[in-house]
Amino acid sequence: MEFITGLYLFVIIISIYLYSLFLLLLFKNKKGLFTHNLSKEDLPTVSILIPAYNEEKTIAGTIQSVINLDYPKEKKEIIVLNDGSKDNTDKIARNFKDIKVITKLNSGKADSLNYGISIAKNEYIVVVDADCYHEKDALLKVMNCFKEDPNIEAVTVAIRVKNQETLLGKLQYVEYTIISWARKLLEFLNSVYVTPGPLSVYRKKTLERLGGFDKNNLTEDIELAWRILRNNHKIKMCLSARAYTIVPETLKQWWHQRLRWDIGGLQTFAKHKDTLGKPNYGMLGVWVAPFYLSSFILAVLGFIVWTYILGRKFITKILSYFYSISTESFILQVKELHLTPSIFTIFGVLLILTYLIYITFALKMMDPGRIPTKRKATVVLYMFFYLALYPLVFIQSLYMFFFNKSFKW
C-alpha cells in the first residue's frame, strides 16, 4: 500500500468514526435536545457585561436586545464596557437609561471583562458581544439550566447568523447551525469546550476562583471553558436558547476571524497540553484535548492528501496533453468506462454520505421543516468548497503561531 493511500484511508476512517459517533449521540439523546424550563420562580440575579470597541453600528441594537430580555428588571444589571472606542460607541450607549457605561483605556476584551467581573454586583455573569441580538426568552432558558445541576458552572446557547444576505452569509448560516448542533451533542459527553461571546453565563464565584479570562489568549472564551473543564466542572449547552450574531461579509474579514480562532485554539491547547490523555482531568483529558488535536491533524493531513491527489491528476493531464501534441496523436480520447469501485472510492463516498446525513439532521432539527432548494445548493457549496478553506487558514495560523507572534485582534 502506498503511503499516500494509507494516509487517505486514515483520514477518511477517523472522520467517518467521528461523524458516526455524533449520530449515535443524536439517536441516544434525541428527546433531550431541546428541553427547557421557563419558570420565573427563584431566579438569581445577573450582571450582563457588554464589552465594546468601535461598535457604533451595532451597540444600540445589542443594548436594546438585552433590555428586552424576558427577565425580571430588578434582578438584571447591565454594564457596557467601552474599551477605549474611537467612534461614537460611548455616546450611543449613554443614551440608554438604567444601564452603566464604563469607559476605560483600550486593553482588550478579556481585560475589560475581568474589570466588569470585579465591579459586578450579582451572583451570575452574563457575557454578551456588542454585535449580537437575542430571542426574548434566551436568558430565562439559560438561567433555568443552572437549577438542574449544582456542578454546572457555565451555560451557553445556540449561535445563529443574523446577516444571511450574501453567499458567504448563507454558508456561515450552515456552519453556525452545525457548530451549535455539535456543541449540544458534545454536552452529552460533558465536553462543551467553548463558551462563545454572543451569550454565555457563568457563576461569578467560579470566574473569581479561576482568575477570570486569559488576557494573553486570542480566544478567551475557549481557554476559559477549558479551565472550567480542567477543574471537573460542567458546561451546559441550551440549544433552544438563541443568540444572533453579525458574521463577516467579506472573505478578508472571514479569513482574519478564522485566523484568530485557530491561533487562539493553538494557544489554548499549548497551555493545557499537559491534560492530554489524563483521566484525572475528566473529559478534558480523555476527549476534548484529543478531539481538538485530532481535528488539527486531520485538517493538515486531509489537505496534504487532496493536494497530492488533485496535483498528481493535474500534472498527469498536462503531461499527457503535451505528449499528444509532440507525437501528433489524438488529444481527445474516449476511455473505457470502469464501474468496479475501489476501496479508495468506497470510503470517500461513505464519508460524504455520513456527513450529508449529519448536516441534514442538524439543519432539519434546528429549523424544522423542509429544507429549501436554495439551502440545499448552499449545503453542496459548503461541503465541497467552503470546508476546503479550513485547512488553508489553519496552515497559515500554524505558521503565525510558531513564527509570527505579532498577530493581534
Side-chain angles (χ1 to χ4, degrees):
M1 179 187 295
E2 292 183 6
F3 171 75
I4 199 68
T5 302
L7 198 60
Y8 170 85
L9 292 177
F10 172 78
V11 172
I12 292 290
I13 291 172
I14 296 298
S15 299
I16 291 174
Y17 163 75
L18 290 174
Y19 292 128
S20 298
L21 175 63
F22 279 115
L23 288 172
L24 288 173
L25 287 171
L26 164 63
F27 296 133
K28 183 179 179 181
N29 302 281
K30 193 173 182 180
K31 293 183 179 180
L33 292 174
F34 294 96
T35 56
H36 57 264
N37 189 352
L38 288 175
S39 172
K40 292 187 178 182
E41 297 181 1
D42 301 321
L43 289 173
T45 57
V46 301
S47 292
I48 303 174
L49 307 183
I50 308 175
Y53 176 72
N54 292 345
E55 299 286 357
E56 64 179 7
K57 294 181 180 179
T58 57
I59 188 66
T62 298
I63 293 174
Q64 191 61 57
S65 174
V66 169
I67 291 173
N68 292 342
L69 286 169
D70 184 17
Y71 205 82
K73 184 178 179 180
E74 68 277 7
K75 293 187 175 183
K76 188 170 60 175
E77 176 188 35
I78 303 173
I79 304 174
V80 175
L81 300 159
N82 177 28
D83 189 29
S85 296
K86 299 176 182 178
D87 61 4
N88 292 316
T89 297
D90 183 79
K91 181 179 179 181
I92 295 171
R94 293 184 184 277
N95 287 331
F96 289 85
K97 298 179 180 179
D98 300 323
I99 71 169
K100 297 178 183 178
V101 179
I102 306 296
T103 297
K104 52 184 285 296
L105 295 176
N106 179 257
S107 59
K109 179 182 176 181
D111 189 57
S112 295
L113 287 172
N114 289 340
Y115 180 73
I117 294 167
S118 70
I119 64 173
K121 297 179 180 179
N122 297 322
E123 54 188 316
Y124 285 85
I125 300 295
V126 183
V127 175
V128 171
D129 286 342
D131 60 351
C132 296
Y133 310 84
H134 315 88
E135 293 186 350
K136 292 187 67 173
D137 60 2
L139 183 58
L140 188 61
K141 290 177 180 177
V142 167
M143 298 314 299
N144 273 279
C145 290
F146 284 98
K147 299 178 183 179
E148 300 174 8
D149 187 340
N151 289 320
I152 293 176
E153 299 295 340
V155 179
T156 187
V157 304
I159 312 300
R160 310 307 304 274
V161 172
K162 184 173 178 61
N163 50 328
Q164 301 179 34
E165 294 78 14
T166 65
L167 175 59
L168 185 58
K170 290 179 173 63
L171 290 168
Q172 288 175 93
Y173 159 83
V174 175
E175 177 189 35
Y176 274 66
T177 301
I178 295 169
I179 289 174
S180 293
W181 179 254
R183 197 167 290 151
K184 180 61 180 181
L185 296 178
L186 285 172
E187 182 202 299
F188 299 118
L189 297 175
N190 191 28
S191 299
V192 178
Y193 59 81
V194 58
T195 45
L199 179 59
S200 290
V201 185
Y202 311 85
R203 298 183 191 270
K204 183 182 179 182
K205 62 181 181 180
T206 300
L207 293 178
E208 292 174 333
R209 185 174 67 251
L210 296 179
F213 291 89
D214 186 346
K215 295 182 290 185
N216 298 315
N217 193 294
L218 291 178
T219 50
E220 72 291 326
D221 49 359
I222 296 178
E223 194 284 322
L224 178 60
W226 280 50
R227 259 187 293 148
I228 293 173
L229 294 177
R230 185 184 182 111
N231 286 271
N232 289 302
H233 296 306
K234 294 181 180 179
I235 301 174
K236 186 175 178 62
M237 167 66 175
C238 186
L239 195 59
S240 60
R242 298 188 173 194
Y244 295 83
T245 187
I246 302 295
V247 297
E249 295 184 333
T250 67
L251 185 59
K252 182 178 180 180
Q253 293 171 347
W254 179 90
W255 196 281
H256 189 73
Q257 181 194 62
R258 301 317 162 97
L259 280 176
R260 181 179 72 89
W261 288 5
D262 283 351
I263 294 172
L266 289 168
Q267 290 174 330
T268 300
F269 182 81
K271 182 175 180 178
H272 297 281
K273 61 181 181 297
D274 59 307
T275 66
L276 185 63
K278 296 180 180 178
N280 56 307
Y281 292 109
M283 292 305 291
L284 177 64
V286 299
W287 172 256
V288 174
F291 174 75
Y292 212 68
L293 179 62
S294 67
S295 66
F296 286 152
I297 293 174
L298 289 175
V300 175
L301 292 183
F303 175 77
I304 293 172
V305 168
W306 289 109
T307 299
Y308 173 84
I309 292 172
L310 296 176
R312 184 176 178 178
K313 286 188 175 183
F314 177 75
I315 293 173
T316 301
K317 291 289 185 182
I318 292 295
L319 292 177
S320 175
Y321 176 79
F322 284 110
Y323 176 78
S324 298
I325 292 176
S326 63
T327 58
E328 299 182 352
S329 59
F330 291 103
I331 296 175
L332 298 176
Q333 299 179 359
V334 179
K335 295 185 178 181
E336 183 180 351
L337 181 63
H338 297 283
L339 297 177
T340 305
S342 66
I343 193 71
F344 202 77
T345 54
I346 289 175
F347 274 102
V349 171
L350 184 58
L351 174 61
I352 292 173
L353 289 176
T354 304
Y355 191 57
L356 185 59
I357 292 171
Y358 176 72
I359 290 179
T360 301
F361 269 110
L363 294 176
K364 293 193 73 171
M365 297 191 75
M366 289 292 287
D367 295 311
R370 185 177 179 180
I371 300 175
T373 302
K374 291 183 178 180
R375 189 74 79 194
K376 292 177 182 178
T378 304
V379 169
V380 173
L381 289 174
Y382 173 82
M383 289 180 62
F384 294 101
F385 296 97
Y386 186 82
L387 290 179
L389 298 175
Y390 278 28
L392 298 176
V393 176
F394 180 65
I395 289 172
Q396 183 180 350
S397 68
L398 274 175
Y399 172 80
M400 296 181 72
F401 176 73
F402 286 107
F403 303 107
N404 182 3
K405 305 296 184 180
S406 63
F407 185 90
K408 295 182 180 180
W409 182 249

